[in-house]
Amino acid sequence: MAIIIRTKNRPYFLARALDDAQRQSYADWSAIVVNDGGEPAPVDEIVDDLPPDTRTRVQVLHRQESTGMESASNAGIRASSSTFLAIHDDDDTWHPDFLNQTVRYLESSDSRAVMTRTEIVHEHVDGNQIIEDSRELYAPEITEIDASRMAISNQGVPISCLYRRDLHDEVGLYDESLPVVGDWDFYLRVLTVTTIGFIDGEPLAFYHQRPKGSAGTAGNTVNEWADLHQQIDRLVRERHFLADVQARGWGDRLVRAKLFEQQAQSLHEHLHSATMAVLARQNEIEKNLDIRLDQLNQNVQKLAQQLSALQQVTEANTPGRFLRRTLHQLFPFSRAR
């Protein structure tokens, strides 16, 4: 099987990725390092420092100009001849058993591609040191890969997927016109000819991300180019939609579009009516609360007045005053000396 490692001016990430390959329990692998317009010397140094038995497995393709992630993937694919392929970005990693489990899955399954449970690793770069900050599951709700969910959003990332090379014969290579989301576009095409399996349980793939604004080349496109991701997402949807229209015509799409508009309008009216009812009920509750608060204030004022009167009575009936009043009543013509 062939591991296609895409890299550009990130030697500390590339070193980690190659170390990741060496740690795999599955031994029958080769790697194509595609240096997409980056400085060649650091790449060559890292590869030359590999143990001899690993160095013979690694081929390096230096590209003088950067032509994008999907073009780099395609270059690596053309330079290999394996049955299975995996796209391994230089900053991502695998569990040591990733290749073993995914290859075995495809060898015993009708599916021609498989994805694994994936974990996001949040990290930052300090100089040439990569420091892990936290982890979280990627799309924890996923228990299988299906076309309907894939149409909503990407259910996998390149580091989580292994697939059979012959899929490219049917659905084509990666779309080099796409600066981002090329993997999602490829998975959509794959799902038109085969299922994509899913290995649940312990995460076997690790999708590493750095914060937006990371210095130098350490950033992730998903964070640094979020607006571009949304733009190309719409472009991919538009392309697939128009391709389907060209194949089958507008037909019921016009009817469905109108029905959707009517349903959306009906939902809007229903939500507006429900919102007005909630606001009316809220106003009623607030008025009742105001009335009750006024009553409570009146009761508090009455209670305060009663407490004041009681305090006056209490002060007027201290023992000394009570005795003087009693003597005065008994001996009205005498004065207490």
Side-chain angles (χ1 to χ4, degrees):
M1 78 132 301
I3 307 169
I4 313 300
I5 302 178
R6 310 181 294 195
T7 190
K8 181 184 177 181
N9 292 333
R10 305 200 295 190
Y12 42 90
F13 285 139
L14 176 60
R16 183 174 68 177
L18 287 170
D19 182 65
D20 191 42
Q22 295 180 79
R23 293 175 180 272
Q24 291 299 300
S25 59
Y26 183 83
D28 188 14
W29 60 267
S30 63
I32 313 292
V33 175
V34 184
N35 180 21
D36 189 34
E39 292 293 328
V43 174
D44 290 337
E45 290 175 5
I46 290 171
V47 174
D48 289 342
D49 285 341
L50 293 171
D53 60 334
T54 302
R55 177 66 185 86
T56 58
R57 298 168 179 251
V58 180
Q59 177 183 354
V60 179
L61 299 180
H62 290 299
R63 317 190 84 194
Q64 292 185 351
E65 295 182 359
S66 176
T67 53
M69 294 184 292
E70 311 316 328
S71 177
S73 295
N74 290 340
I77 292 166
R78 294 188 185 101
S80 63
S81 58
S82 61
T83 300
F84 302 108
L85 290 169
I87 305 298
H88 190 313
D89 285 328
D90 59 3
D91 59 338
D92 294 329
T93 58
W94 284 326
H95 184 284
D97 210 30
F98 175 87
L99 290 180
N100 185 53
Q101 290 202 36
T102 53
V103 169
R104 298 292 176 255
Y105 183 97
L106 292 185
E107 287 179 338
S108 61
S109 171
D110 291 334
S111 297
R112 293 156 67 192
V114 61
M115 292 179 177
T116 72
R117 178 68 67 196
T118 303
E119 192 169 52
I120 300 175
V121 180
H122 297 284
E123 62 189 17
H124 69 276
V125 177
D126 185 1
N128 287 336
Q129 185 178 8
I130 307 169
I131 302 171
E132 181 178 323
D133 298 314
S134 63
R135 295 188 177 218
E136 64 175 312
L137 286 180
Y138 175 85
E141 73 281 358
I142 293 176
T143 56
E144 61 181 353
I145 306 299
D146 62 71
S148 60
R149 288 186 178 181
M150 189 67 79
I152 298 172
S153 63
N154 197 352
Q155 291 186 276
V157 288
I159 196 62
S160 73
C161 186
L162 183 82
Y163 61 93
R164 289 185 176 273
R165 167 187 295 276
D166 61 11
L167 280 172
H168 288 298
D169 297 332
E170 292 187 62
V171 304
L173 292 169
Y174 291 94
D175 188 340
E176 297 183 9
S177 71
L178 300 176
V180 291
V181 308
D183 55 323
W184 177 55
D185 172 71
F186 175 64
Y187 301 148
L188 289 172
R189 286 183 278 137
V190 166
L191 285 167
T192 65
V193 298
T194 187
T195 56
I196 298 178
F198 184 71
I199 300 176
D200 204 347
E202 180 183 8
L204 297 178
F206 304 102
Y207 179 29
H208 293 250
Q209 294 187 13
R210 272 78 56 200
K212 184 176 182 178
S214 295
T217 59
N220 298 84
T221 63
V222 70
N223 293 328
E224 302 299 329
W225 301 347
D227 292 342
L228 181 62
H229 271 261
Q230 294 180 5
Q231 176 187 341
I232 303 303
D233 179 286
R234 291 191 295 270
L235 173 64
V236 169
R237 294 178 191 278
E238 185 76 0
R239 284 183 178 179
H240 283 278
F241 176 76
L242 290 177
D244 193 41
V245 169
Q246 290 172 357
R248 298 194 295 170
W250 285 100
D252 64 347
R253 288 168 181 77
L254 295 176
V255 176
R256 290 184 180 183
K258 190 62 179 179
L259 287 174
F260 177 79
E261 179 189 27
Q262 293 172 346
Q263 291 172 353
Q265 181 62 29
S266 176
L267 178 60
H268 174 76
E269 293 173 356
H270 176 74
L271 289 174
H272 178 73
S273 176
T275 300
M276 296 305 295
V278 169
L279 290 175
R281 178 57 179 160
Q282 181 179 345
N283 289 334
E284 181 182 352
I285 292 173
E286 289 177 352
K287 289 180 181 178
N288 290 335
L289 286 175
D290 289 340
I291 293 172
R292 293 185 180 183
L293 285 173
D294 288 340
Q295 292 175 345
L296 181 59
N297 286 332
Q298 293 174 7
N299 292 337
V300 169
Q301 291 175 2
K302 289 180 181 180
L303 181 59
Q305 293 172 356
Q306 293 173 355
L307 287 174
S308 178
L310 179 60
Q311 184 178 8
Q312 293 174 3
V313 171
T314 302
E315 291 177 351
N317 287 284
T318 59
R321 291 182 179 180
F322 178 77
L323 179 59
R324 284 196 295 273
R325 284 201 307 272
T326 302
L327 290 174
H328 180 70
Q329 290 173 0
L330 294 175
F331 306 100
F333 302 106
S334 65
R335 295 281 185 181
R337 301 288 184 181

